[in-house]
């Protein structure tokens, strides 16, 4: 049990569509980060949320957006999907005042 | 900008062989360093981490890593690998400020034959 829950586990979408991925952080964690892991690559940082606001952002276009709710859960939204958006999307939670990260099992997104 | 370089893309070893995976990072400040492992079909798991203190860090499953500040390196080692160590290994770095994002290397695939 990873402690971080992501849904759905798999998803197939068509180019141009929009997708929403969800993450529930580990109990006691208030910060959520999202990563994209393309096949054969390391996870790439998308953005991080704390207190319902985007705190840091990686080098991803505005098509990638997110949200954090008062219960610390988070959503990742991707608009106008491209074939290149096909990847494993990972959520990691951490306590803001700590330096440990717990990762979920990810959502496998396939864009066709 | 922070970056992490893992020198070996794919390493193939026989059981009982010794392992060393290279990791170098680029960052001007004080860093936290991590090694994660991803077994096939499973989530990322933390092997070990370095925040401060003794530069030789011991982790789970017999893994250890040494932080060499002058070389900006954090190499992962294991004296004797097992078939069950077959997995993807990722080195990661973050600023030592709490809550900063992890930056990952591209990973090294380790294949261990029995």
């Amino acid at each position: 049990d990873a402690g971080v829950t992501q849904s759905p586990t798999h998803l197939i979408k068509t180019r141009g569509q929009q997708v929403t991925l969800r993450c529930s952080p580990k109990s006691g964690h208030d910060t959520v980060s999202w990563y994209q892991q393309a096949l054969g690559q390391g996870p790439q940082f998308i953005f991080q949320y704390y207190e319902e606001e985007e705190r840091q952002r990686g080098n991803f276009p505005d098509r990638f957006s997110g949200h954090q709710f008062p219960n610390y859960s988070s959503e990742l939204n991707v608009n106008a999907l491209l074939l290149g958006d096909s990847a494993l999307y990972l959520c990691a939670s951490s306590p803001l005042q700590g330096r440990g990260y717990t990762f979920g099992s990810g959502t496998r997104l396939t864009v066709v | 900008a922070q970056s992490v370089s893992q020198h070996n893309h794919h390493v193939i070893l026989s059981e009982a062989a010794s392992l060393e995976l290279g990791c170098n990072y680029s960052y001007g400040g004080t860093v936290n360093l991590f090694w994660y492992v991803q077994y096939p079909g499973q989530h990322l798991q933390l092997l070990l981490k370095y925040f401060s203190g003794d530069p030789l860090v011991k982790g789970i499953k017999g893994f250890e890593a040494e932080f060499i500040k002058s070389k900006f390196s954090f190499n992962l080692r294991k004296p004797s690998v097992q078939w069950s160590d077959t997995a993807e290994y990722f080195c990661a770095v973050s600023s030592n400020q709490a809550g900063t994002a992890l930056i990952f290397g591209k990973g090294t695939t380790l294949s261990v034959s029995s």
Side-chain angles (χ1 to χ4, degrees):
Chain A
D1 180 13
V4 175
T5 304
Q6 292 187 244
S7 63
T9 54
H10 295 84
L11 203 52
I12 299 175
K13 289 286 189 178
T14 303
R15 273 181 302 175
Q17 285 188 315
Q18 179 263 345
V19 68
T20 297
L21 310 182
R22 295 176 176 83
C23 172
S24 293
K26 181 177 179 178
S27 177
H29 286 184
D30 54 11
T31 302
V32 173
S33 302
W34 286 92
Y35 292 81
Q36 180 195 67
Q37 186 178 12
L39 201 61
Q41 300 293 318
Q44 300 265 324
F45 173 66
I46 303 175
F47 44 54
Q48 183 185 79
Y49 275 83
Y50 172 68
E51 289 191 336
E52 303 179 49
E53 295 207 352
E54 186 181 289
R55 188 167 176 270
Q56 293 182 78
R57 188 178 182 93
N59 189 25
F60 277 80
D62 292 344
R63 298 186 297 110
F64 289 76
S65 63
H67 188 76
Q68 186 179 35
F69 299 93
N71 66 354
Y72 308 123
S73 67
S74 177
E75 290 181 349
L76 164 66
N77 301 292
V78 187
N79 294 322
L81 284 167
L82 304 173
L83 294 179
D85 295 331
S86 296
L88 180 68
Y89 288 84
L90 297 168
C91 172
S93 72
S94 58
L96 184 69
Q97 296 306 317
R99 293 173 288 184
Y101 305 83
T102 301
F103 282 83
S105 299
T107 294
R108 174 72 63 188
L109 172 64
T110 302
V111 182
V112 297
Chain B
Q2 297 176 7
S3 66
V4 177
S5 175
Q6 292 185 241
H7 315 299
N8 315 100
H9 182 62
H10 192 182
V11 173
I12 302 172
L13 295 173
S14 299
E15 274 195 324
S18 64
L19 169 72
E20 180 160 2
L21 302 182
C23 173
N24 285 90
Y25 66 93
S26 173
Y27 184 68
T30 304
V31 296
N32 298 323
L33 295 157
F34 306 80
W35 275 98
Y36 281 87
V37 62
Q38 191 171 35
Y39 298 104
Q42 296 189 26
H43 60 272
L44 281 168
Q45 298 175 35
L46 181 66
L47 270 180
L48 48 79
K49 60 191 176 188
Y50 173 80
F51 292 158
S52 63
D54 189 344
L56 184 60
V57 179
K58 294 193 183 299
I60 61 171
K61 304 185 181 185
F63 287 91
E64 65 178 32
E66 184 176 13
F67 170 51
I68 303 179
K69 189 175 181 179
S70 61
K71 295 185 178 180
F72 297 90
S73 71
F74 190 57
N75 292 353
L76 182 71
R77 299 193 294 248
K78 185 172 185 179
S80 176
V81 296
Q82 300 173 317
W83 176 82
S84 58
D85 293 325
T86 296
E88 189 87 16
Y89 291 81
F90 295 97
C91 181
V93 63
S94 72
S95 161
N96 76 329
Q97 294 178 359
T100 56
L102 279 174
I103 305 300
F104 284 85
K106 292 187 176 183
T108 297
T109 301
L110 172 64
S111 299
V112 180
S113 60
S114 57

